[in-house]
Amino acid sequence: STFPFFQDIQVMLVVGLGLLLAFLPRYGLSALTHNFLLLNVSAQWALMLQGLLHHLQHGKAVLGLHSMLSAEFAAVTVLISAGAVLGRTSPSQLLAMALCEVPIYLASEWLIITRLGVLDVGGTITIHVFACYFGLGVSKTLFGNAKPTVHPKETPTPRSDLLALLGALILWVFWPSFVAVLCQPGDAQHRAILHTLLALSASTITTVLISILLESDGKLSAGHLQNGSLAGGVAIGAVADMHITPAAALALGSLSSLLCILGFQFLTPLLAKKLALQDRCGIHNLH
């Protein structure tokens, strides 16, 4: 029963997220291959660490679909964090980041879920927020107080934007599986899927409206749509399986996309100016 969800998540991570990062016209192939490499290395590293921990606790290591799923969730944090330094780091630097981030994520997840008892079935806190600030920390460590500069080759083209939008659409379609896979089968899983669909739908509509209002030429921004349409899926993860109303899911989707687009429009330039913070993909706004 878990495998169909697992396959959906594989499509999200390998194809959807890889294409979403291909918005840089001269870095699309590298973005796809680095994403694929980081996913596999991070997942295997997480499996090793999980197996070692289980062996120390129970005298044996267990490998199953659930442990593979947990390992891929750990890998997701690395893939998100890499967005902050996209196109400005070498493969060896990305691998070093993965080796450092995975054990810190596992410790953070254990502390938040096991020790503090926080409910976060969709990984809003443990995956998205953690990966966001870890990635920003890596960016600040690598680039220090150097002022962000825009290279001519970094300007997206219609073709690169089309690839990124295709990736966003794939993520949008399969996102309910990502949120619902760890829910209790039955009503809780059913609620998580429905709430996620509602939140994603509301965030998409809100993104289109806000983007058109904010853009000087009154046209929809491809960058806004690529990110804002997914904001509802990120936000709903913490409460997706709970007994909330459909109106609450819609409101959360709209509010999250509004904050995401306003972040791209105003917060990212402010952080770049005041803190010299380089966030190439705007992971702070989405995650």
Side-chain angles (χ1 to χ4, degrees):
S1 63
T2 304
F3 189 65
F5 290 102
F6 181 80
Q7 285 291 77
D8 290 350
I9 294 170
Q10 290 282 82
V11 175
M12 287 179 67
L13 302 185
V14 177
V15 185
L17 190 56
L19 289 175
L20 183 64
L21 298 176
F23 66 92
L24 295 178
R26 302 296 183 89
Y27 198 72
L29 183 60
S30 295
L32 276 165
T33 52
H34 291 169
N35 181 76
F36 195 29
L37 175 64
L38 283 176
L39 172 63
N40 284 279
V41 170
S42 303
Q44 289 194 37
W45 178 223
L47 276 176
M48 291 176 59
L49 294 175
Q50 289 173 347
L52 177 61
L53 181 62
H54 202 276
H55 179 77
L56 293 175
Q57 292 176 336
H58 306 285
K60 62 178 180 180
V62 177
L63 179 62
L65 191 58
H66 189 273
S67 56
M68 179 65 82
L69 188 61
S70 298
E72 293 216 339
F73 280 173
V76 171
T77 63
V78 179
L79 303 183
I80 293 172
S81 297
V85 292
L86 184 70
R88 299 171 185 259
T89 46
S90 66
S92 58
Q93 288 175 315
L94 293 174
L95 290 174
M97 182 185 75
L99 294 177
C100 294
E101 183 168 4
V102 169
I104 298 175
Y105 161 77
L106 294 174
S108 171
E109 183 195 37
W110 173 82
L111 176 64
I112 293 171
I113 302 299
T114 304
R115 298 298 297 173
L116 299 180
V118 174
L119 300 176
D120 185 27
V121 71
T124 299
I125 303 167
T126 55
I127 295 176
H128 295 285
V129 174
F130 170 83
C132 162
Y133 287 104
F134 192 95
L136 294 179
V138 170
S139 177
K140 190 65 176 176
T141 301
L142 289 177
F143 306 119
N145 292 320
K147 291 293 183 181
T149 55
V150 179
H151 195 277
K153 293 181 179 180
E154 290 183 347
T155 304
T157 64
R159 176 172 294 183
S160 66
D161 265 338
L162 182 61
L163 284 176
L165 183 57
L166 178 60
L169 294 177
I170 292 172
L171 289 170
W172 195 98
V173 169
F174 291 112
W175 204 287
S177 295
F178 184 88
V179 173
V181 65
L182 295 181
C183 296
Q184 289 295 323
D187 288 344
Q189 203 165 62
H190 195 188
R191 286 194 299 271
I193 293 171
L194 293 175
H195 290 154
T196 305
L197 286 170
L198 289 173
L200 286 169
S201 182
S203 63
T204 301
I205 295 172
T206 304
T207 296
V208 172
L209 294 175
I210 299 302
S211 179
I212 291 174
L213 290 174
L214 288 178
E215 290 297 298
S216 57
D217 56 2
K219 294 182 179 180
L220 174 64
S221 165
H224 289 170
L225 187 60
Q226 291 157 15
N227 292 274
S229 61
L230 302 174
V234 173
I236 198 70
V239 296
D241 61 335
M242 298 181 187
H243 290 275
I244 63 174
T245 64
L250 290 168
L252 185 59
S254 293
L255 180 60
S256 59
S257 62
L258 173 63
L259 293 176
C260 178
I261 302 307
L262 292 178
F264 271 101
Q265 199 76 10
F266 303 109
L267 184 59
T268 295
L270 180 65
L271 292 177
K273 180 180 180 180
K274 298 295 184 180
L275 302 179
L277 187 61
Q278 302 191 32
D279 181 8
R280 192 64 196 92
C281 289
I283 62 172
H284 192 216
N285 305 311
L286 177 57
H287 301 279

